[in-house]
Amino acid sequence: MSSKKLTDWVYAFAFADYPVRGALAWLPDSWQALCQRRQYPSPLNHWLADMLTSITLVRSGIKASGRLSLQIRSQDNPHLLSVECDEQWRMRGMVRFQPELPLAENLPAIQSGLLTMQLEPPDEGVSYQGVVPLEGENIAAAMENYFLKSEQLPTQFVLGFSQQQPGGLMLQRMPGEMHADDWQRINMQAATLKHAEMQQFDSEKLLKLLFPEDKIKLFAVQLPEFHCTCSRERVSRMLLQLGYTEANSIVAERGNVEVACEHCGESYGFDKIDIEHLFTSQDISAPVTDRVQ
């Protein structure tokens, strides 16, 4: 099974002779769709691209439904990097930063930051969340540290971002017997993956190049895409929870209520007539707990 060049794809795979699973991801189209909506400084772009690749690689090994999110947050300031991917492979991501500050001050604070991964079920089920200190020189190292500390799973990430095209590979050693030398060999071979190879070859060819001695089972392709869940209805629900008095006071002060989605930049405006109609209409019947996130 192969994938077309420059088309987003994610393949999960497993080694036949070892308790090792993995995934390959290639996301140029989704990344371009994200960048068309929001622009970030280059170093922040690189972090966000690697996080987007990471979340798809991890999602490939999760059968449960729901939204999987990955966040890096500094404990000392409001800086935030966030990506998410649901069971339908709809992805989005954003960076919250302060453009008036020097770029170095907007980069994640490695020593004081936190890395959080959360799976939120689509119903009222219990969410799963793992939180570890942000450690490592890059996203790949931070993700490896997360799985070792939070899941006790030895994991390797090989992430690449060049020419606005993110992609990468993940390996995880699952429970079971395996000689340490074999795991080390597989890791060393995976580390030789080059961005140009992902750009040039399909998934089958890549795996044969990386692991010529091993039998590998390649699973069905997944086709991720950028998709933002914001909508005027969601903003309406947020305003309903805010309350008539507060929403009306914002209109009185500013002329309207303007809410912009942090992920895609889409802006939703409500003037005085909109607010009056919103709070007297019965059109919004869904629970008012939804937020533009």
Side-chain angles (χ1 to χ4, degrees), residues 81-118:
L81 293 95
S82 176
V83 295
E84 57 189 53
C85 180
D86 65 16
E87 73 278 4
Q88 297 180 50
W89 294 92
R90 299 177 299 184
M91 305 182 302
R92 63 179 186 172
M94 53 81 69
V95 180
R96 186 181 301 149
F97 72 110
Q98 296 173 285
E100 70 277 6
L101 294 179
L103 182 58
E105 296 183 31
N106 274 298
L107 293 175
I110 302 300
Q111 283 74 28
S112 61
L114 295 175
L115 187 150
T116 302
M117 192 177 300
Q118 180 169 320

Side-chain angles (χ1 to χ4, degrees), residues 245-264:
T245 301
E246 183 66 23
N248 221 20
S249 67
I250 295 175
V251 172
E253 178 184 349
R254 304 177 184 176
N256 70 340
V257 178
E258 194 79 19
V259 179
C261 177
E262 288 187 296
H263 287 86
C264 70

Side-chain angles (χ1 to χ4, degrees), residues 171-188:
L171 293 177
Q172 287 189 318
R173 180 174 176 176
M174 308 305 293
E177 293 186 6
M178 182 179 185
H179 198 281
D181 289 346
D182 291 320
W183 173 243
Q184 183 179 16
R185 173 184 63 81
I186 290 173
N187 274 258
M188 291 175 64

Side-chain angles (χ1 to χ4, degrees), residues 37-38 40 92 94-96 228-232 234-236 238-239 250 254 256-270 291-293:
R37 293 162 175 82
R38 299 299 300 268
Y40 303 111
R92 63 179 186 172
M94 53 81 69
V95 180
R96 186 181 301 149
C228 193
T229 58
C230 73
S231 67
R232 189 172 182 85
R234 282 177 174 263
V235 177
S236 296
M238 184 192 75
L239 293 176
I250 295 175
R254 304 177 184 176
N256 70 340
V257 178
E258 194 79 19
V259 179
C261 177
E262 288 187 296
H263 287 86
C264 70
E266 185 71 28
S267 183
Y268 300 92
F270 295 77
R291 301 296 185 103
V292 175
Q293 299 177 342

Side-chain angles (χ1 to χ4, degrees), residues 89-205:
W89 294 92
R90 299 177 299 184
M91 305 182 302
R92 63 179 186 172
M94 53 81 69
V95 180
R96 186 181 301 149
F97 72 110
Q98 296 173 285
E100 70 277 6
L101 294 179
L103 182 58
E105 296 183 31
N106 274 298
L107 293 175
I110 302 300
Q111 283 74 28
S112 61
L114 295 175
L115 187 150
T116 302
M117 192 177 300
Q118 180 169 320
L119 179 63
E120 303 172 67
D123 49 27
E124 296 182 357
V126 179
S127 297
Y128 168 81
Q129 184 180 80
V131 183
V132 300
L134 180 62
E135 297 177 355
E137 298 180 353
N138 49 43
I139 297 298
M143 292 298 296
E144 291 167 2
N145 176 67
Y146 172 87
F147 277 100
L148 191 60
K149 289 190 173 180
S150 181
E151 309 292 337
Q152 289 76 54
L153 281 179
T155 304
Q156 181 185 22
F157 283 84
V158 182
L159 305 175
F161 177 59
S162 177
Q163 303 174 22
Q164 298 299 306
Q165 295 174 330
L169 174 149
M170 177 189 74
L171 293 177
Q172 287 189 318
R173 180 174 176 176
M174 308 305 293
E177 293 186 6
M178 182 179 185
H179 198 281
D181 289 346
D182 291 320
W183 173 243
Q184 183 179 16
R185 173 184 63 81
I186 290 173
N187 274 258
M188 291 175 64
Q189 290 173 304
T192 66
L193 176 64
K194 297 178 176 60
H195 187 272
E197 293 173 340
M198 296 206 71
Q199 190 176 32
Q200 181 179 2
F201 301 118
D202 63 29
S203 52
E204 281 187 308
K205 181 66 173 179

Side-chain angles (χ1 to χ4, degrees), residues 55-75:
I55 201 71
T56 58
L57 293 170
V58 176
R59 194 71 182 82
S60 69
I62 298 177
K63 296 181 180 180
S65 299
R67 180 175 63 178
L68 182 69
S69 61
L70 176 66
Q71 291 187 351
I72 291 178
R73 185 189 302 271
S74 173
Q75 294 177 319

